[in-house]
Amino acid sequence: MVDSGGLWTPPEDELGEALQTAQLLIEEGRADEAGPYQQRVIELARERAGEHPDHYEAKHLMAATQYELAGSLNASGRHEEALAALHEAQLGYTELSDAGVLDATSFLADVRAAERAVTQAVLREQADAGVDVVTDGQVAWYDSQSHVAGRLDGVEIGGLVRYFDTNTYYRQPTVTAAVRWKAPILLEGWQFAQDASRAPVKAVLTGPVTLARLALDRHYGKRRPLAMDFAQALAEEVAGFRSAGAEHIQVDEPVLTRHPEDLS
């Protein structure tokens, strides 16, 4: 059920009706049928939040419904859409928390639990398909750049920019100081997946050349030394995987298909 936390009262209009219908379906164990009503709630709440930027009640309703929509989509086997809804909910609650409107600690714990449930579903699907070496599906990743680079020293996360020439966007890492590894980034997620899987789980991380190309550099001035420091930091991450027993480690470098000169 959507928890208002005292921030809003369900309106007696189309939004309220859609919200009530969705919640009744969830109570009846028909979460897979609640999705269209939840999506309508989000659309209407987004309109109200757009008209009034400080309308935190609408923003909270939108975030809470995104979270429940993720559960409905996951129950329908639509894991990729569930993940997108979960990330939207996480961003919404983080905004409310940063604004001092509410404490998002318990919600973020719920997000982690939901991410792990989706991870387990992804692992089951791969096992059922006969995949010999599986991945965790990168369920907890908002995107391939900010999730890795944002946990390194010297990097802050900025706004959304286009991913190469696609219609996909990522939160751009901004390099403000020397890049350094400070703590494991992906190890905990890999360990959870491996513990939940009978098949070997391949560790996946974004490569240093791609990170250097797609980051906004405000410190180095040249791409090569930035890439080298990203490489050194990621070497620490790879060493952690190896120490934990990972037999398969994949480094993604999509930039090399578009800018092979970055290696020179």
Side-chain angles (χ1 to χ4, degrees):
M1 298 289 291
V2 172
D3 179 9
S4 72
L7 285 180
W8 55 273
T9 301
E12 296 181 359
D13 56 13
E14 182 183 359
L15 193 158
E17 291 178 3
L19 179 64
Q20 183 178 28
T21 301
Q23 292 184 335
L24 286 173
L25 289 169
I26 292 172
E27 289 175 355
E28 294 172 1
R30 299 159 60 192
D32 57 327
E33 300 177 35
Y37 298 98
Q38 292 167 320
Q39 289 171 331
R40 186 56 180 156
V41 170
I42 293 166
E43 290 172 1
L44 294 169
R46 181 176 288 115
E47 288 177 5
R48 296 186 185 187
E51 294 169 357
H52 306 283
D54 295 329
H55 195 327
Y56 290 116
E57 294 88 348
K59 290 183 178 181
H60 184 255
L61 175 58
M62 186 164 57
T65 307
Q66 286 278 16
Y67 178 70
E68 290 201 341
L69 174 60
S72 300
L73 292 168
N74 195 41
S76 304
R78 296 159 63 184
H79 305 310
E80 186 173 347
E81 294 171 75
L83 180 58
L86 194 62
H87 286 158
E88 287 297 325
Q90 186 173 12
L91 289 174
Y93 271 96
T94 299
E95 179 185 352
L96 293 168
S97 179
D98 290 346
V101 177
L102 55 76
D103 180 359
T105 303
S106 61
F107 166 77
L108 294 176
D110 288 344
V111 167
R112 171 161 295 206
E115 287 173 345
R116 292 193 163 185
V118 175
T119 297
Q120 290 172 321
V122 168
L123 291 168
R124 284 194 300 271
E125 286 190 357
Q126 292 175 88
D128 292 344
V131 179
D132 295 325
V133 179
V134 301
T135 75
D136 65 0
Q138 299 177 324
V139 168
W141 295 36
Y142 184 80
D143 59 64
S144 61
Q145 308 304 303
S146 64
H147 188 76
V148 176
R151 302 190 192 185
L152 298 172
D153 273 340
V155 180
E156 299 175 0
I157 300 303
L160 291 172
V161 296
R162 189 182 298 274
Y163 183 72
F164 295 113
D165 58 354
T166 70
N167 285 327
T168 300
Y169 291 80
Y170 68 98
R171 294 190 299 165
Q172 187 175 41
T174 300
V175 179
T176 59
V179 172
R180 297 288 184 269
W181 184 89
K182 57 184 176 180
I185 301 169
L186 305 169
L187 183 60
E188 182 182 354
W190 174 84
Q191 190 66 68
F192 171 80
Q194 187 58 78
D195 291 344
S197 173
R198 287 176 292 182
V201 176
K202 176 169 58 177
V204 180
L205 67 161
T206 309
V209 183
T210 298
L211 290 175
R213 161 66 71 163
L214 296 181
L216 176 61
D217 178 18
R218 291 181 173 167
H219 176 74
Y220 289 85
K222 293 184 178 181
R223 191 172 296 134
R224 183 176 179 81
L226 172 57
M228 293 301 293
D229 276 359
F230 269 130
Q232 185 61 46
L234 295 176
E236 297 285 348
E237 193 72 12
V238 169
F241 282 134
R242 293 295 295 153
S243 296
E247 298 178 357
H248 305 273
I249 302 174
Q250 175 177 308
V251 179
D252 289 340
E253 289 285 19
V255 71
L256 298 183
T257 65
R258 299 168 182 269
H259 299 283
E261 70 276 8
D262 282 9
L263 276 181
S264 59

